[in-house]
Amino acid sequence: MKKNRSGRDGRRQSKPKTTSAAIAGLPVEKNDEVQIDIIGMNHDGEGVGRADGYTLFVQGALPGEKVRVKVLKTKKQYGYAKLLELVEPSPSRIAAPCPIYDQCGGCQLQHMDYAAQLAWKRQLVVDNLERIGKLRVVAGEGYVGGESQGMADGVDGEQHVGVQAGNGEKGANAGGEHGILVRPTLGMSDPWRYRNKSQVPIGVIEGGLVGGFYARGSHRIVDMDACLIQHEQNDVVVRQVKEIGRRLGITAYDEETGKGLLRHVVVKIGFTTGEMMIVLVTNGDRIPRVDEWISAIREELPAVVSICQNVNTRNTNVIFGDVTRVLWGREVIHDYIGDVKFAISARSFYQVNPAQTEVLYGKTVEYAGLTGNETVIDGLLRHRDDILILGAARQEGVWCRDRERSD
């Protein structure tokens, strides 16, 4: 499942460079209703169709579908349209299991069956290798729904896709005679409840404290009690922290006025250890009735071993500020990927899907074929967990404190 951490569609927050007024020579105008065939999907999970050769991006449409849409916005080379009617639905279309999927902006592909999602993710890799890398990909299992498009403005999506990529022959030139073989995406046996970190914005609706994710294309918070891709215990903690906040009269941050206290509740859990951390992101240093809040969390949520506060007083969409302090308990929680032990602080990076991370790194170790005589260099060094897994393949007892980063 593709997931935005904040639930916001950042691309739609920026002001369009071109107005929605009719552009000379386009086959469609704003508010036109047309029937189109969906030939692919872009990086945001939007269906891609064409009206007389003009590209339209349609939220909720799947490749292979024939749909009736209403044009919302036009630019010189492409536009956006709203799905009005499924004339011919795709065999890959399913009913989204989440009851607030149509309102929440967190997930984009719950209406697409998992096998089709995996094939689409593979095709994204193929397209990037061919169009951006100018490399030749050999024929193999791909996405039958057609080409995947990546033409949307402002798209800078980072793909963490569990794929096997190889050359057919070891040592073959990537752009040479044999080309690149992109293997099928390695999926999960159960692709739900896999995320170990929840970052929930807090707001007020009709005087009550709420927390959830942002509605698509807006700053409006959709309140939620359960998120099907978060660990169940994270849902429990978020619900209880909201309830405790209501009892104690804690105010929510209002981004329009800059007033109010609680901005986000961040919850982390170690899948292997069961240890949990709560980070209260506040608009100011002082938390009213802080001792009562800590006591209530300790009493009602015994799995929590760390309660932290992060102070963010800036007018920004960035979740964390510069100051983090421990209110009670430990500075870190622990978890394992394979035999490697990680210490996870309030602001440190840690892979949000630890089960699939172990699968991915296991495949890396398999492909590396280490004998114990090699020197392994991490040429990217964005995160150190991958290089530690390779090291652990040749030695025991590796331990790491995950490095701090700014979210």
Side-chain angles (χ1 to χ4, degrees), residues 6-8 13 100 102-105 201-205 210 212-223 255-256:
S6 68
R8 292 188 186 173
Q13 302 306 315
I100 60 172
D102 290 336
Q103 293 82 45
C104 178
I202 302 299
V204 174
I205 295 179
V210 298
F213 295 103
Y214 293 105
R216 288 192 178 100
S218 80
H219 288 214
R220 179 177 60 85
I221 295 175
V222 178
D223 194 26
E255 61 182 11
E256 293 185 0

Side-chain angles (χ1 to χ4, degrees), residues 262-277:
L262 190 58
R263 298 177 67 130
H264 281 78
V265 173
V266 179
V267 183
K268 300 185 178 186
I269 183 171
F271 270 40
T272 303
T273 63
E275 297 174 352
M276 302 191 72
M277 170 186 287

Side-chain angles (χ1 to χ4, degrees), residues 244-245 248-250 261-262 280 282 284-298 307-310 325-328:
I244 295 170
L248 297 179
I250 300 299
L261 179 68
L262 190 58
L280 305 173
T282 60
D285 288 291
R286 180 178 173 272
I287 300 179
R289 306 175 69 176
V290 62
D291 291 337
E292 294 176 67
W293 205 347
I294 292 173
S295 296
I297 291 173
R298 292 180 60 188
I307 305 173
C308 300
Q309 178 191 14
N310 176 268
R325 60 176 65 99
V326 177
L327 299 177
W328 172 84

Side-chain angles (χ1 to χ4, degrees), residues 3 13 45 56 69 71 75 87 96 105 121 128 164 198 201 203 218 220 222 274-275 279 282 301 305 336 341 372 387:
K3 172 80 178 178
Q13 302 306 315
L56 288 171
V69 301
V71 179
K75 296 191 175 186
V87 180
K121 290 180 179 182
N128 287 336
Q164 306 173 45
S198 298
S218 80
R220 179 177 60 85
V222 178
E275 297 174 352
V279 185
T282 60
L301 299 166
V305 299
Y336 288 84
K341 184 178 182 181
I387 203 72

Side-chain angles (χ1 to χ4, degrees), residues 98-100 104 193 198 200 209-213 221-243 246:
C98 176
I100 60 172
C104 178
R193 297 295 188 180
S198 298
V200 178
L209 201 68
V210 298
F213 295 103
I221 295 175
V222 178
D223 194 26
M224 61 122 193
D225 287 327
C227 177
L228 299 181
I229 65 172
Q230 306 287 352
H231 191 285
E232 293 94 332
Q233 286 302 308
N234 283 4
D235 280 346
V236 172
V237 170
V238 170
R239 284 198 302 269
Q240 206 61 31
V241 168
K242 288 192 295 185
E243 175 58 31
R246 294 185 192 112

Side-chain angles (χ1 to χ4, degrees), residues 167-185:
N167 290 352
E169 286 187 22
K170 190 174 181 180
N173 188 314
E177 179 183 353
H178 299 288
I180 296 174
L181 174 63
V182 180
R183 301 185 186 276
T185 309

